[in-house]
Amino acid sequence: MQQKRVTGSGADDPRVTELRTALSRLRRQLAAHPADFPDRGIAEDELAALDAMAAGGAPEIPRLRRSLLLVAGAIGSVSALARGLREVRMAVDLFGEPPRR
């Protein structure tokens, strides 16, 4: 199975900048959220993984989407984080659809 990578340097790609900004914002919101919930660790780990992929400059689109689904599942019921999650989803969507198999 071949993974599609985004070409170009992350520093040059406005999509990467948008994704990193949205991830940073959501990570701060999650850190400041006072309530503990069962999947908080999963959300934190996946947000860190997403940021690492974006920092590398060539994120794999299917992996971005899988991580986004894990984050959404982990924090989807926390309404205070809904806006930040939506911004991350919109930033991931900038990378386009993965090829259909």
Side-chain angles (χ1 to χ4, degrees), residues 4-42:
K4 183 177 178 183
R5 287 190 177 269
V6 176
T7 59
S9 166
D12 300 352
D13 192 337
R15 299 173 302 173
V16 171
T17 302
E18 182 72 24
L19 178 58
R20 295 204 69 205
T21 299
L23 288 168
S24 177
R25 188 174 299 124
L26 181 56
R27 290 176 83 183
R28 284 192 312 271
Q29 291 170 354
L30 181 58
H33 189 68
D36 197 19
F37 48 94
D39 293 331
R40 185 181 194 120
I42 293 170

Side-chain angles (χ1 to χ4, degrees), residues 15-97:
R15 299 173 302 173
V16 171
T17 302
E18 182 72 24
L19 178 58
R20 295 204 69 205
T21 299
L23 288 168
S24 177
R25 188 174 299 124
L26 181 56
R27 290 176 83 183
R28 284 192 312 271
Q29 291 170 354
L30 181 58
H33 189 68
D36 197 19
F37 48 94
D39 293 331
R40 185 181 194 120
I42 293 170
E44 291 168 344
D45 290 348
E46 285 304 316
L47 288 170
L50 279 164
D51 191 51
M53 281 187 277
E60 295 174 359
I61 296 169
R63 177 70 175 116
L64 285 176
R65 295 195 179 283
R66 279 191 298 274
S67 288
L68 176 62
L69 285 173
L70 286 170
V71 171
I75 66 174
S77 65
V78 182
S79 61
L81 302 173
R83 181 176 180 187
L85 180 59
R86 184 173 46 254
E87 289 173 357
V88 170
R89 182 191 53 82
M90 290 169 52
V92 168
D93 286 347
L94 293 174
F95 289 91
E97 290 292 321

